[in-house]
Amino acid sequence: MVGRTTSRRRSPDYAWLVTGPLALCALALTAALWVVDEQWYKDWAAGLLIFALYVVAQLATFSIAIRRSALDVSVTEVPLVFALFYLPPVMTILVVTGGVLLRQLWGSFPPVKMWFNVAEVAASIGVALLVIEALPKVEGTGPAMWGVIFTGVAVNVFMQLACFVAVISVVNGAPAGRDMFRASLPNQVIAGINVAIGLLFLIALEETKWSALLLGVPVIALVLLLRSFAGFFRQHRTLADVYELTQAIRDEGSNNALPDVLLERVRSLMRSENATLWLAPQERYPELLLTAKVDNKGLLDVSPVPGPIRDYTVQQQRPVAVGAQFPDTEHLREHLRTARVKDVLLVPLRSGQTTVGTLEVINRVGDARTFRDSDVQVLETIAAHVAVAVENSRLVDRLRHDAYHDRLTGMPNRRRVIDALAESTTVRAEGEVVAVMLFDVDGQRNVNESMGHAAGDKLLAEVAARLRGIAGSGALVGRIGGDEFVVTLRTESMEATIEIATQMRERLRGTMAVGSLTLDVDTAVGVSVYPDHGSDPETLLQRAELAANAAKALPYGVQPFHPALESRAVRRLGIAADLRRALDNEQLEVYFQPKVTLADRHVVGVECLARWVHPAHGEVAPEDFVAVAEHTGQLARLTEVVLGAGLRRCREWADADRPLSVAVNLSARTLLDSRFPDLVEELLVEHEVGPGQLTFEISEPGMLNDIERVLPSLYRLRDLGVRLSVDDFGTGASSLAYLRQWPVHEVKIDDTFVQGMATDSGDLAIVRAVVGLSREFGLTVVAEGVESELTLGLLEEMGCEIGQGYLFSRPLPYERLEAWLSAQTEPESTPTGEVRRLRAVI
């Protein structure tokens, strides 16, 4: 199969290959016709008049755009009819050629184009006159004369068409010449119509010269009508082109193809030599400067627009037009002359109130020699769409970047690290392993608690910067958790990986300035490698994290994964049987954390918290044994133990005239047991505790998962008189509006918001909103995690009723709580009885 070849565009100078022969032909024909009539100059007055008409006819050329084609409407054939009838052949050549030459000089066309137009017109009219000379001589203005003139004009028109097709074929190739021929056919019809009009005018003038006065009226009307139609079609074509351009911007505006789609279309639409898109540097986006230039394939990274004019546009934040038609910017014309630029239009691209760049067009080409105010409006319309496309493109890029990068450090996040590991593990090279080194920063939580989250964030940012600096060029460094960083790279072996991890840890260690303090920062490093420790990214990261937890207890701080390091889930299953025995033997202990009214510092109650010290494993985290209890069916027994202990102590405090209410955490799974409200009622009766002294705290996320199923139990508990509290409020997906449907009395704000409210405006706004709206609903607000005087003051100022946290006391066993009450509180009489009041918050 033979493919169609594409002609390569030649230099415009190849047009001289056609211009030269045409010029010689024109000279030869002029000389021959001079010999025939040596007295050609005797009608010079008529020649001057027809010359003036020919020049005016050339200036009255209109271009009408219909769909995708441009139709040039010209009336030059009308004065040509007069020339063929009234003037000698040589004077006709001089009149037509002189008129064309004057028009070319007026339009400032390049020399190659100008002299081709002059030569082809001279040669064409010369051939037409030679044909007319060969025809029989006729007198008058009858049909015979019509035929002669029609023949002469037809020869002239088709001769010009042949010359145009020839030069286009030489410069741009034969296919372009054929296209030129097909596109010029409508002009031949227009030429025939013009000849008919010219003959009508000629017949009228021959009848009486006074008819020129009457003929002027339809001529002027025709010119005005053509101008009106040309303007209408030109406006319609501009609107269509702008629409197509905005559609292309919309389709391609979300990717990097925008400049390619935009600039060449803008240059063509605005009929300019250059079109430039300039975007200012912004954050991680570098400066962008791309230019489409006429007759140049591809985009250039330079622009002829003078820098001071662009700076002026950005400063003014409005369109700036500099050129002969814009006197308001006369003070900028000097910059154009220095840059050898005729005129420019610049429109700022705005994102909100910020100018992010400019859209520029330089040097108007074509019959309209300069830009006008209407061009500014068109470019403003395009720029508005371009600005939106640029902003959308950058928004998509930012969203894509944010989805795979940590906001604090700018490092790849867990998702990006997993994707990179997935790609790495698909290629297994002999003698290489894919290493995962997880760095757990020691002491970061202490910094958060003592100095605030802003200081902790600064510490993490410093660690991230150091890790970037010490990691090799082939390593991927990311942040996958609060204080966990991961480095992945290819190494020779497990031993080489441990050596690299040890060196990196040593280089990472050292003092870091955080606020006014200088801290010693250390890390624990867990190591896993592919394929020895797993074949998928999640497994490799999980095992590296297990190794990092084990490394915290090692003096050298680097631990490779090995099977002996059990996961937390396995450990939970291992203590299931021990938990049952602990419950049966009353080995679980209940701790109490005081709740304090913020307005008057009264200790009004305690939260009951289960604690378990395993004989072999030591202290077991509450989340561990609670999860075991949930999965092994021991949750009801665990809840009963804690509730019973709390009610027993509540009775003892009441008997000692120190009434304190108790709060017990309740799982949504417990509420699914329809018998639980009956158990609560029995225990209240058994311990002789009023239901108003008992509060159940239900975790918000857990309650949301089964809200429809637990509502009956919640209503039964409320009917008993028990107080209900929404625990960890703000961490689920609910809103305060849901609280109007739930039978609750209290909202307990999650400690993550309370601890961060002193340094994070977002957390502060959340706490303030929860407090305000909860009070509107008539709900008591409890803030957990109160650990600083500043937080305490903010909560008190916004009207939070009750606080709980380390600022008052940690969870304490019963005996230590009694000692704390004796040491830190004093009795105070109130209308409802004696209460304990804090002496001071330390």
Side-chain angles (χ1 to χ4, degrees):
M1 180 177 179
V2 179
R4 181 179 177 181
T5 59
T6 302
S7 300
R8 184 170 61 88
R9 191 180 191 280
R10 295 175 176 174
S11 169
D13 291 337
Y14 276 82
W16 291 108
L17 297 176
V18 179
T19 303
L22 288 176
L24 294 176
C25 177
L27 291 174
L29 290 171
T30 303
L33 293 171
W34 192 326
V35 172
V36 173
D37 184 8
E38 295 183 355
Q39 301 296 318
W40 57 268
Y41 51 85
K42 60 185 178 182
D43 294 328
W44 61 270
L48 288 177
L49 178 60
I50 295 175
F51 173 78
L53 291 176
Y54 196 84
V55 171
V56 172
Q58 286 192 101
L59 295 176
T61 299
F62 309 99
S63 180
I64 299 177
I66 302 178
R67 294 184 181 180
R68 302 301 304 172
S69 302
L71 184 63
D72 291 331
V73 178
S74 173
V75 293
T76 54
E77 289 81 8
V78 174
L80 180 60
V81 169
F82 294 150
L84 294 177
F85 184 81
Y86 288 114
L87 300 181
V90 174
M91 183 170 289
T92 300
I93 294 175
L94 294 178
V95 166
V96 173
T97 304
V100 171
L101 178 60
L102 183 62
R103 177 68 182 88
Q104 298 297 305
L105 293 173
W106 175 263
S108 301
F109 291 101
V112 173
K113 184 175 182 179
M114 181 182 70
W115 290 115
F116 166 76
N117 289 335
V118 172
E120 61 92 10
V121 167
S124 298
I125 193 63
V127 172
L129 290 169
L130 188 63
V131 171
I132 290 175
E133 287 295 322
L135 295 175
K137 301 295 182 182
V138 294
E139 299 292 337
T141 57
M145 178 57 68
W146 302 353
V148 171
I149 291 179
F150 261 111
T151 301
V153 174
V155 171
N156 176 68
V157 170
F158 282 107
M159 183 66 183
Q160 289 187 27
L161 176 59
C163 294
F164 276 117
V165 171
V167 74
I168 292 297
S169 299
V170 169
V171 177
N172 292 329
R178 290 193 294 268
D179 293 341
M180 175 67 184
F181 177 78
R182 287 191 292 267
S184 300
L185 292 179
N187 290 330
Q188 318 313 315
V189 178
I190 294 175
I193 296 173
N194 288 337
V195 173
I197 294 173
L199 288 172
L200 288 174
F201 288 176
L202 178 62
I203 293 171
L205 288 172
E206 283 296 298
E207 184 67 26
T208 173
K209 302 300 182 183
W210 293 103
S211 64
L213 299 177
L214 297 177
L215 292 174
V217 175
V219 169
I220 295 173
L222 180 62
V223 170
L224 294 176
L225 181 63
L226 286 175
R227 287 178 62 87
S228 177
F229 268 102
F232 171 77
F233 283 113
R234 183 167 57 250
Q235 184 180 31
H236 176 76
R237 177 62 180 273
T238 300
L239 291 175
D241 288 344
V242 170
Y243 175 77
E244 292 181 2
L245 178 57
T246 56
Q247 289 293 102
I249 292 173
R250 185 195 66 182
D251 295 339
E252 303 291 342
S254 60
N255 56 46
N256 295 329
L258 176 62
D260 298 313
V261 172
L262 169 72
L263 291 177
E264 183 55 38
R265 288 172 179 256
V266 171
R267 190 207 61 75
S268 176
L269 173 62
M270 301 300 297
R271 297 188 293 279
S272 61
E273 287 186 6
N274 301 274
T276 296
L277 174 65
W278 174 75
L279 297 177
Q282 186 180 26
E283 296 177 354
R284 59 189 182 85
Y285 299 104
E287 181 182 24
L288 176 69
L289 180 67
L290 292 173
T291 299
K293 186 177 181 180
V294 65
D295 297 333
N296 188 84
K297 293 183 178 180
L299 300 179
L300 307 175
D301 57 358
V302 294
S303 172
V305 175
I309 297 181
R310 182 179 295 132
D311 295 339
Y312 181 79
T313 304
V314 174
Q315 178 185 1
Q316 296 294 316
Q317 294 190 348
R318 62 176 177 81
V320 173
V322 186
Q325 298 294 323
F326 308 102
D328 294 343
T329 55
E330 180 66 29
H331 62 286
L332 299 174
R333 293 286 298 277
E334 182 61 32
H335 298 296
L336 292 188
R337 288 188 286 269
T338 303
R340 297 182 179 180
V341 174
K342 180 176 63 175
D343 51 359
V344 296
L345 299 182
L346 296 90
V347 178
L349 305 177
R350 298 188 185 91
S351 176
Q353 299 298 320
T354 305
T355 298
V356 298
T358 56
L359 183 62
E360 309 162 358
V361 290
I362 305 98
N363 288 349
R364 182 66 176 267
V365 296
D367 295 335
R369 301 176 62 188
T370 60
F371 293 115
R372 300 183 181 275
D373 291 334
S374 58
D375 296 315
V376 178
Q377 297 174 358
V378 172
L379 193 61
E380 274 192 284
T381 302
I382 299 172
H385 291 277
V386 174
V388 172
V390 169
E391 187 169 4
N392 289 342
S393 176
R394 290 187 170 181
L395 176 60
V396 170
D397 182 61
R398 284 195 298 270
L399 291 175
R400 186 181 294 115
H401 181 274
D402 291 345
Y404 288 95
H405 290 80
D406 172 58
R407 180 168 296 182
L408 174 63
T409 63
M411 283 182 164
N413 59 13
R414 187 181 189 90
R415 179 186 298 178
R416 178 68 186 94
V417 170
I418 288 176
D419 289 348
L421 275 175
E423 294 176 5
S424 299
T425 54
T426 57
V427 179
R428 184 171 180 178
E430 191 68 28
E432 282 188 349
V433 297
V434 178
V436 178
M437 296 176 286
L438 191 141
F439 291 77
D440 192 316
V441 181
D442 186 27
Q444 192 264 342
R445 182 172 182 177
N446 293 332
V447 173
N448 284 343
E449 294 176 352
S450 60
M451 303 178 62
H453 285 268
D457 290 346
K458 184 176 181 181
L459 173 64
L460 292 175
E462 179 66 23
V463 172
R466 288 196 183 184
L467 268 179
R468 285 195 192 98
I470 63 179
S473 58
L476 174 67
V477 184
R479 181 187 178 207
I480 63 170
D483 56 0
E484 293 179 342
F485 296 85
V486 68
V487 178
T488 70
L489 72 164
R490 288 186 176 272
T491 62
E492 297 176 358
S493 62
M494 181 60 158
E495 291 73 19
T497 303
I498 295 175
E499 183 178 353
I500 293 173
T502 302
Q503 293 175 356
M504 291 182 65
R505 178 176 177 270
E506 289 300 320
R507 295 178 62 185
L508 190 61
R509 294 177 66 184
T511 58
M512 293 185 185
V514 178
S516 59
L517 299 180
T518 301
L519 306 177
D520 289 325
V521 176
D522 200 358
T523 56
V525 187
V527 177
S528 65
V529 297
Y530 166 83
D532 298 346
H533 299 145
S535 59
D536 62 276
E538 289 286 0
T539 300
L540 291 170
L541 285 175
Q542 177 192 10
R543 292 180 172 176
E545 188 170 4
L546 290 172
N549 290 333
K552 295 177 181 179
L554 301 177
Y556 44 87
V558 177
Q559 173 67 59
F561 173 79
H562 59 80
L565 298 174
E566 295 179 339
S567 66
R568 172 173 287 186
V570 174
R571 183 167 179 250
R572 286 176 177 176
L573 292 176
I575 64 174
D578 299 332
L579 177 61
R580 182 176 288 105
R581 285 191 293 270
L583 290 171
D584 293 339
N585 299 328
E586 298 183 357
Q587 294 176 352
L588 264 69
E589 191 171 2
V590 177
Y591 279 40
F592 306 91
Q593 186 172 26
K595 292 183 175 181
V596 179
T597 58
L598 302 186
D600 48 22
R601 304 296 194 270
H602 289 166
V603 180
V604 294
V606 293
E607 180 179 2
C608 305
L609 302 166
R611 295 293 185 265
W612 181 27
V613 179
H614 192 279
H617 299 294
E619 185 174 345
V620 181
E623 58 268 23
D624 282 350
F625 65 77
V626 170
V628 170
E630 287 186 341
H631 287 90
T632 58
Q634 302 180 67
L635 184 60
R637 175 66 175 142
L638 175 61
T639 303
E640 184 178 353
V641 168
V642 176
L643 178 58
L647 292 176
R648 184 171 64 253
R649 299 304 182 188
C650 183
R651 180 70 263 166
E652 293 175 1
W653 290 321
D655 292 341
D657 292 330
R658 294 184 301 169
L660 293 176
S661 64
V662 292
V664 176
N665 289 298
L666 206 60
S667 169
R669 181 169 298 186
T670 303
L671 291 171
L672 294 175
D673 185 355
S674 60
R675 297 169 298 178
F676 179 72
D678 296 331
L679 173 63
V680 173
E681 185 176 10
E682 292 174 4
L683 291 174
L684 288 172
V685 173
E686 177 185 346
H687 293 91
E688 299 180 357
V689 174
Q693 291 294 98
L694 173 62
T695 300
F696 283 123
E697 297 182 359
I698 306 104
S699 174
E700 179 199 13
M703 186 162 57
L704 284 172
N705 293 335
D706 294 292
I707 184 61
E708 297 298 332
R709 298 171 62 191
V710 304
L711 274 177
S713 295
L714 290 176
Y715 280 114
R716 289 183 61 191
L717 291 171
R718 184 200 62 179
D719 294 341
L720 285 176
V722 173
R723 292 178 57 82
L724 299 175
S725 174
V726 180
D727 197 10
D728 301 326
F729 189 81
T731 58
S734 70
S735 69
L736 282 170
Y738 294 149
L739 298 183
R740 304 176 66 180
Q741 308 169 13
W742 298 344
V744 297
H745 309 82
E746 178 181 287
V747 169
K748 195 169 187 180
I749 307 174
D750 188 68
D751 59 357
T752 56
F753 301 114
V754 175
Q755 291 173 358
M757 62 183 289
T759 56
D760 190 310
S761 59
D763 289 345
L764 178 62
I766 291 173
V767 174
R768 192 182 301 277
V770 173
V771 172
L773 292 178
S774 296
R775 296 182 65 184
E776 289 293 327
F777 292 153
L779 303 176
T780 303
V781 183
V782 179
E784 59 180 342
V786 181
E787 299 181 0
S788 70
E789 287 283 359
L790 178 57
T791 302
L792 178 63
L794 291 172
L795 290 169
E796 186 176 359
E797 177 186 348
M798 64 181 64
C800 180
E801 290 97 331
I802 299 174
Q804 176 183 346
Y806 287 1
L807 181 65
F808 306 121
S809 173
R810 294 174 177 270
L812 302 172
Y814 177 72
E815 292 76 11
R816 291 181 57 189
L817 176 66
E818 287 293 306
W820 179 87
L821 287 171
S822 300
Q824 300 297 332
T825 66
E826 58 187 7
E828 180 176 311
S829 298
T830 66
T832 58
E834 184 179 284
V835 297
R836 307 297 297 185
R837 185 180 187 278
L838 287 180
R839 290 193 174 93
V841 177
I842 57 172

